[in-house]
Amino acid sequence: MFEMTNTTKESFYFILTGIPGFEASHIRISIPFCCLYTISILGNTTILNVIRTEPSLRQPMYLFLSMLALTDLGLTLTTLPTVMQLLWFNICEISFEACFAQVFFIHTFSFMESSVLLAMSFDHYVAICRPLHYATILTSEVIGKIGLAIICRCVLAVLPSLFLLKCLPFCRSHLLSHSYCLHQDMIRLVCGDIRFNSWYGFALVLLIIVMDPLLIVLSYAMILKSVFRIASLVERLRALNNCLSHILAVLVLYVPMVGVSMTHRFAKHASPLVHVIMANIYLLAPPVMNPIIYSVKTKHIRHGIMRLLSQRNTH
C-alpha cells in the first residue's frame, strides 16, 4: 500500500462513483436528477426574486426565508457540477483541491440550513409569544447580525476538520462512494491516525446536528404553551398554521439526516446503492422541497409569485 504525501497531492485525483449497479443507465438516471436540480434552482431563485421585488415582504420572517433560499441554492450549485458531469459525460475524476473545496461548501451549506431553521424558529417564538415586542426585538440590524453569526458559526465549524483532514496521508486507493465529495467518505481513505478527527466530528455533531433540533423543539414547546393560553380556537389554529411551513421544512431536513446517520451507523454492510440513495435524498430533498412548501403554504409568497408571472406575461 502506498501513501500520498503532501508533495504529490497537487497531482492527486479522487474517483467519484455514480449509481452502483446502474452505470449503463446513467443517461436515463440523469433525467430525474436534472428535473430536481431545475426545480431547486427555479424555485429558490423565484422566492428570492419575489422577496426582493415585493416591499411588503421586507419583514423578518421573509428575510430569514431568503437566507434559507440562498442556502438551498448554494447547496444545489455545489453538488450539481460533479453529479451531472458524471451522469452525462462519465467524468469521474476530481482533483484533490476541488474535492476539498466541494467538501467545504457541502458541509457549510448543510450546517447553514440547520442554523437558518433555528433562527426561523426564534422568529416564530417572538411573533407568537412576544408579539408586542416583535418589531423592537427583530430589527433589520439584529437580523443582519444573526445572518453574519450563522455564516461565521458554520465556516469556523467546518474549516478545522478540513485542515485536519488535509494534513493526513491518503492511501493509493482513491475511490469515493458518491458523485460528490463528503468528509466522512474521504476520511475512509486516510492511512494515518484519525482519532482526533473522529472526536472533532463527534463534537461538531453535538454542537450543530443535535443542539439545533433540540433548541427548535424547545422553541415550539414554548410556542405551544403560549398558543394553548389563547381562548379562541380559531386564533389557536391560525397561530399553529403560521408555523406549519417551518415545521415541514424542519422535517424535510432532519428526517433524511437521521436516516443517513442510522444507515452509516447500523447498515454499514448494506448495499452501496442504499447509502447513495440516502445521501442523495439528504442533499436534494431540502433544496427541492423548501420552495414548494413555502410557495404552497405561505399566502404572501404565493400571491407574489402570481404577480411576478402576470407581469412577465404582460411584457
Side-chain angles (χ1 to χ4, degrees):
M1 182 180 290
F2 297 94
E3 294 183 358
M4 183 191 67
T5 62
N6 290 329
T7 57
T8 61
K9 284 182 179 179
E10 290 182 2
S11 58
F12 186 81
Y13 284 86
F14 290 106
I15 306 298
L16 301 170
T17 302
I19 311 299
F22 294 88
E23 288 80 5
S25 306
H26 275 176
I27 294 295
R28 288 197 297 273
I29 293 171
S30 72
I31 296 172
F33 274 92
C34 191
C35 291
L36 291 173
Y37 279 123
T38 302
I39 291 169
S40 175
I41 292 169
L42 289 179
N44 287 296
T45 51
T46 300
I47 284 180
L48 288 170
N49 203 15
V50 167
I51 294 172
R52 183 182 63 84
T53 55
E54 289 286 333
S56 62
L57 300 183
R58 307 288 169 79
Q59 299 173 29
M61 171 187 170
Y62 300 105
L63 294 177
F64 285 126
L65 179 56
S66 66
M67 291 182 197
L68 187 66
L70 279 170
T71 302
D72 285 334
L73 201 56
L75 191 57
T76 298
L77 295 176
T78 299
T79 59
L80 184 149
T82 54
V83 171
M84 297 315 297
Q85 75 177 12
L86 192 150
L87 295 177
W88 279 345
F89 309 111
N90 201 33
I91 299 175
C92 303
E93 290 186 344
I94 182 170
S95 69
F96 182 84
E97 297 297 335
C99 199
F100 266 82
Q102 191 175 46
V103 168
F104 169 76
F105 285 112
I106 285 177
H107 291 287
T108 299
F109 283 124
S110 295
F111 290 157
M112 282 179 68
E113 184 102 15
S114 178
S115 300
V116 171
L117 288 174
L118 175 59
M120 293 174 84
S121 71
F122 175 69
D123 170 70
H124 286 299
Y125 163 75
V126 176
I128 293 172
C129 300
R130 303 189 61 185
L132 298 178
H133 301 92
Y134 184 74
T136 55
I137 292 175
L138 287 171
T139 61
S140 298
E141 184 181 355
V142 169
I143 293 168
K145 288 179 179 178
I146 290 173
L148 185 61
I150 288 171
I151 294 171
C152 292
R153 178 199 193 202
C154 298
V155 169
L156 293 176
V158 173
L159 279 179
S161 62
L162 282 184
F163 286 131
L164 288 170
L165 184 61
K166 199 168 184 179
C167 293
L168 292 169
F170 283 82
C171 303
R172 178 66 68 180
S173 172
H174 45 220
L175 181 65
L176 299 175
S177 305
H178 302 282
S179 49
Y180 35 77
C181 300
L182 295 174
H183 181 272
Q184 58 267 35
D185 202 12
M186 293 175 67
I187 205 162
R188 293 187 304 103
L189 310 181
V190 170
C191 302
D193 186 0
I194 60 169
R195 280 178 298 179
F196 189 79
N197 301 64
S198 299
W199 279 110
Y200 182 82
F202 179 70
L204 211 57
V205 166
L206 290 179
L207 179 65
I208 296 178
I209 307 304
V210 173
M211 189 175 75
D212 285 4
L214 285 178
L215 291 174
I216 291 172
V217 169
L218 177 63
S219 70
Y220 272 104
M222 297 170 75
I223 287 170
L224 286 173
K225 184 179 177 182
S226 178
V227 165
F228 286 125
R229 289 175 182 168
I230 301 172
S232 169
L233 179 62
V234 174
E235 290 298 322
R236 287 182 189 177
L237 292 174
R238 185 180 298 171
L240 291 174
N241 188 56
N242 289 336
C243 300
L244 185 57
S245 299
H246 179 257
I247 292 170
L248 291 173
V250 168
L251 291 175
V252 165
L253 174 66
Y254 288 111
V255 169
M257 185 184 291
V258 170
V260 169
S261 299
M262 296 291 281
T263 304
H264 276 284
R265 179 76 175 174
F266 300 109
K268 292 180 180 178
H269 302 294
S271 167
L273 183 62
V274 174
H275 294 278
V276 168
I277 290 173
M278 291 301 298
N280 282 321
I281 291 173
Y282 166 58
L283 289 177
L284 281 173
V288 171
M289 292 304 299
N290 285 340
I292 295 173
I293 290 168
Y294 279 95
S295 299
V296 172
K297 295 299 300 177
T298 308
K299 182 175 68 175
H300 295 295
I301 295 292
R302 191 166 63 247
H303 290 172
I305 292 172
M306 294 299 179
R307 277 193 290 270
L308 198 65
L309 291 174
S310 62
Q311 288 173 4
R312 289 186 177 181
N313 288 334
T314 55
H315 292 305

